[in-house]
Amino acid sequence: MAQPALTAGRTRRRALFGLLDGDGWAWAGIKSFIWFILIIFVLGYLPDRAYYFTVFPTIDLGILAWSPINLCPPENGGLPCPPPPGAAVAWQKNPAQLNLPTPVENGTAIQVGTDLMYIGGQTQPTGGATDAVLVAKTAGTGNYDAWQAGPKLPAPRTDAAAIAFNSVVYVFGGADASGKAQTSAYILSPDQSTGELGTWKTAADAKLPLDLPEPRSAASVIAVTDGLVVAGGFGADGKPTTTVWKSTVDAKGALGKWVAQAPLARPQADAVGVEDGTFLWLYGGTDANGPTGAVQRGNLGTAGAGGATASPAASTAASPAASGGTTASTSDVVGWQIANEINLPTARANPAGFVANGTMYLIGGSDGQHPTRELYWAIPDAGGAIPEWKHLAASDLPDGLEGSSAVVLGSDAVLVGGRSDSGLTNNQARTNLAPQPPFFQLGLVGATVPALKIEGEIGQQLGYLNAAGVGTIDFILLILVGWAFAHRERMREMFARIRRRRGRS
């Protein structure tokens, strides 16, 4: 049978560089997908960007997986751009009106409610423990007023383990005016309704069994979910110890008597002690040989038997509960591990430190001869490993400092008191732990540009209006585009008339 001839002058339309039939299903599917993405973009993404352009300091345009061009605000100082996680901006000294009344070191700065407190310490290079407690009212985010005299301790104490726990302030041990370690426990219970601090009570006055089992100074006190842990410190003989005790809260919220926990893997005193939600950490300070860079990791509950694994060279100490004795609660300390790969880069005695947003910090301290300036930080992973201790010269202190105390106020950290090469200081240094991200980035598949950042409720309302306005305009444009595709012949005629008018002019 003869094949019918094609109509003269008729060819099949091809699309996508001739790869697809212009009237086939494949090309139709590709076009529908493109229009689907376009509709989501104009009705979802653009209104969303319009809102955040109003209320955020910067706005991302597109996908910015990697950017070779980054510009950061000058407030970040000399930090890399973008700043690495955990980095702190350059330290600045507080104005003179916020100086402590007297130069002091080895006290403890804590925040309880709206009060910033500096407890005890020593006002002479050796000995000279004081019973003074200084108080400053916090004002806004990261700020506080001038220091005023607060309720004095029942007796002078320096190198005490002080902490605010459940809105109550506790001071354990410490050295007295003669330099001898003590067992005493002092308690301050501020009035939550009036804000009055009240007066200190001894453990006997408060009818709480909180005097330490043995004298301790320069011990580390760490809050856990159900109580307090006191680790290490100098004993009555002046030597670092391995003892660890825990006081657990009862059903009424009162702390109970101290119970021995797994001892430290090795003696350590005047170290930074923190808890990161999974482990206890003790780092820096002094051991039997002087300044140390040791980092000891404490396992809570049953983690000592099967938690994070230390290296083969790690030393481990386990409590009776971890080795088959009494059943431990999830916040009992059941073992300590120490391994070379998680140690500090260098030894530091009498440093300051804290944990914030899952990052552990160590600031200053002594190398055994002079106060130092360096700030080190580390971000442990979920298994308790520390990939590295990081350091940036831009985050170091202006001057070397040891015997200072750190307190975190919002996104700021403040160092109070301490000793430099010039002697005791009454000044404070401040840093911000949240460096600003780049205000401009240009990458291969996107960019970050400055935005308006209108604060408060006004910014939010304007953001909603911007989003609604952009969405409405985009919707109208989509209707016009749809009408144009449905009336192609009329659109061709319209464009032809426009071209003819331009030709005549």
Side-chain angles (χ1 to χ4, degrees), residues 16 34 61 92 99 119-120 157 189 251 266 268 270 273 287 296 346 350-351 371 384 400 417 447 449 498:
L16 200 64
I34 293 173
L61 303 177
Q92 302 291 332
N99 283 354
I119 301 169
R157 289 291 182 268
S189 303
R266 65 194 230 183
Q268 201 160 344
D270 71 33
D287 62 14
Q296 301 199 48
T346 185
N350 207 13
V449 298
I498 293 174

Side-chain angles (χ1 to χ4, degrees), residues 165-194:
F165 181 72
N166 289 344
S167 300
V168 178
V169 183
Y170 298 92
V171 177
F172 302 114
D176 62 10
S178 67
K180 293 182 179 180
Q182 302 296 310
T183 61
S184 57
Y186 301 144
I187 300 103
L188 183 70
S189 303
D191 190 310
Q192 299 302 305
S193 59
T194 64

Side-chain angles (χ1 to χ4, degrees), residues 230-495:
V230 171
F234 294 110
D237 58 0
K239 296 180 180 180
T241 68
T242 61
T243 55
V244 179
W245 302 308
K246 181 186 175 186
S247 173
T248 304
V249 294
D250 61 19
K252 297 181 180 179
L255 288 168
K257 68 177 183 178
W258 297 100
V259 176
Q261 306 286 290
L264 299 176
R266 65 194 230 183
Q268 201 160 344
D270 71 33
V272 178
V274 299
E275 188 255 0
D276 69 352
T278 307
F279 299 95
L280 301 186
W281 298 90
L282 208 67
Y283 51 97
T286 303
D287 62 14
N289 299 314
T292 181
V295 177
Q296 301 199 48
R297 182 183 63 215
N299 300 309
L300 299 174
T302 57
T309 303
S311 71
S315 299
T316 304
S319 71
S323 56
T326 332
T327 303
S329 77
T330 55
S331 290
D332 281 343
V333 187
V334 296
W336 291 86
Q337 295 172 320
I338 185 168
N340 291 334
E341 61 266 23
I342 65 176
N343 285 350
L344 292 164
T346 185
R348 287 291 182 265
N350 207 13
F354 55 88
V355 63
N357 301 318
T359 303
M360 303 190 309
Y361 295 86
L362 180 138
I363 311 106
S366 171
D367 60 5
Q369 296 181 337
H370 301 283
T372 60
R373 301 174 52 239
E374 289 82 10
L375 178 147
Y376 296 101
W377 79 93
I379 304 176
D381 63 23
I386 294 179
E388 65 173 328
W389 284 91
K390 299 180 181 180
H391 169 257
L392 289 173
S395 297
D396 288 344
L397 295 168
D399 305 299
L401 199 63
E402 67 169 300
S404 185
S405 182
V407 61
V408 178
L409 301 174
S411 61
D412 288 351
V414 179
L415 287 181
V416 185
R419 174 160 42 95
S420 67
D421 280 325
S422 303
L424 300 186
T425 179
N426 62 348
N427 193 251
Q428 298 113 69
R430 175 190 298 264
T431 187
N432 187 276
L433 303 176
Q436 294 298 309
F439 62 82
F440 177 79
Q441 293 180 283
L442 182 60
L444 301 178
V445 287
T448 296
V449 298
L452 297 179
K453 194 185 180 182
I454 301 175
E455 303 280 0
E457 187 71 20
I458 295 177
Q460 291 186 2
Q461 296 301 324
L462 290 176
Y464 293 140
L465 290 175
N466 282 351
V470 170
T472 301
I473 294 173
D474 289 346
F475 182 72
I476 294 172
L477 290 176
L478 286 175
I479 292 177
L480 293 176
V481 170
W483 183 89
F485 271 91
H487 301 81
R488 295 184 181 182
E489 293 299 327
R490 293 182 63 178
M491 294 301 297
R492 292 192 185 99
E493 293 174 1
M494 183 185 303
F495 285 126

Side-chain angles (χ1 to χ4, degrees), residues 199-259:
T199 57
W200 293 90
K201 294 181 179 180
T202 64
D205 292 337
K207 297 181 179 180
L208 293 173
L210 291 180
D211 284 339
L212 298 178
E214 299 173 7
R216 287 292 179 271
S217 67
S220 301
V221 58
I222 309 168
V224 292
T225 55
D226 62 348
L228 297 176
V229 172
V230 171
F234 294 110
D237 58 0
K239 296 180 180 180
T241 68
T242 61
T243 55
V244 179
W245 302 308
K246 181 186 175 186
S247 173
T248 304
V249 294
D250 61 19
K252 297 181 180 179
L255 288 168
K257 68 177 183 178
W258 297 100
V259 176

